[in-house]
Amino acid sequence: MGRKLDLSGLTDSEAEHVLQVVQRDMRLRKKEEERLSELKQELDEEGSRCLLLSRQSCFNQRCCIRCCSPFTFLLNPKRQCRDCHYNVCKACRVYNKQDKAWLCSACQKSR
């Protein structure tokens, strides 16, 4: 990033175009940094909430750690997330074909 460009060989319109491209790149980078910062904050909050809920005796055996919905044998079975090892319901998990394992939505975002 710290390099200077020699734009002396360009016409005014070409230099203006280069400037617009660089400004757009800076806006996109800032937007991406903000998006990643929000995602990190969301994942941190989710982790704190899960830690608090997991301290309740047997909570995660009966309810999804992500959405707190109760598990049922046929309609909403629990599956253990490969990364965090919490039990999650069918709405809060995805199957990772590469690992051949279930991941909760938070761990999927984190990956």
Side-chain angles (χ1 to χ4, degrees), residues 90-104:
K90 65 181 179 181
C92 297
R93 68 179 182 241
V94 292
Y95 188 73
N96 186 309
K97 292 179 183 178
Q98 185 178 11
D99 293 342
K100 296 181 181 174
W102 292 101
L103 290 175
C104 70

Side-chain angles (χ1 to χ4, degrees), residues 38-78:
E38 289 173 6
L39 183 60
K40 184 181 182 317
Q41 182 179 355
E42 181 183 321
L43 289 172
D44 288 346
E45 289 171 2
E46 179 74 17
S48 297
R49 187 177 66 83
C50 289
L51 184 62
L52 184 69
L53 289 173
S54 69
R55 290 183 180 155
Q56 303 296 318
S57 62
C58 299
F59 177 82
N60 195 223
Q61 292 303 314
R62 297 185 314 269
C63 299
C64 176
I65 199 76
R66 302 291 171 206
C67 70
C68 301
S69 66
F71 296 124
T72 59
F73 182 69
L74 292 175
L75 299 176
N76 194 20
K78 65 182 172 185

Side-chain angles (χ1 to χ4, degrees), residues 24-50:
R24 181 172 183 266
D25 179 61
M26 291 176 69
R27 284 192 307 272
L28 289 173
R29 286 175 191 252
K30 184 175 181 180
K31 190 174 181 179
E32 182 67 5
E33 285 177 14
E34 290 170 357
R35 186 187 72 81
L36 290 175
S37 177
E38 289 173 6
L39 183 60
K40 184 181 182 317
Q41 182 179 355
E42 181 183 321
L43 289 172
D44 288 346
E45 289 171 2
E46 179 74 17
S48 297
R49 187 177 66 83
C50 289

Side-chain angles (χ1 to χ4, degrees), residues 12-23:
D12 288 344
S13 64
E14 291 171 333
E16 181 66 30
H17 185 71
V18 169
L19 179 63
Q20 289 173 355
V21 169
V22 170
Q23 288 173 337

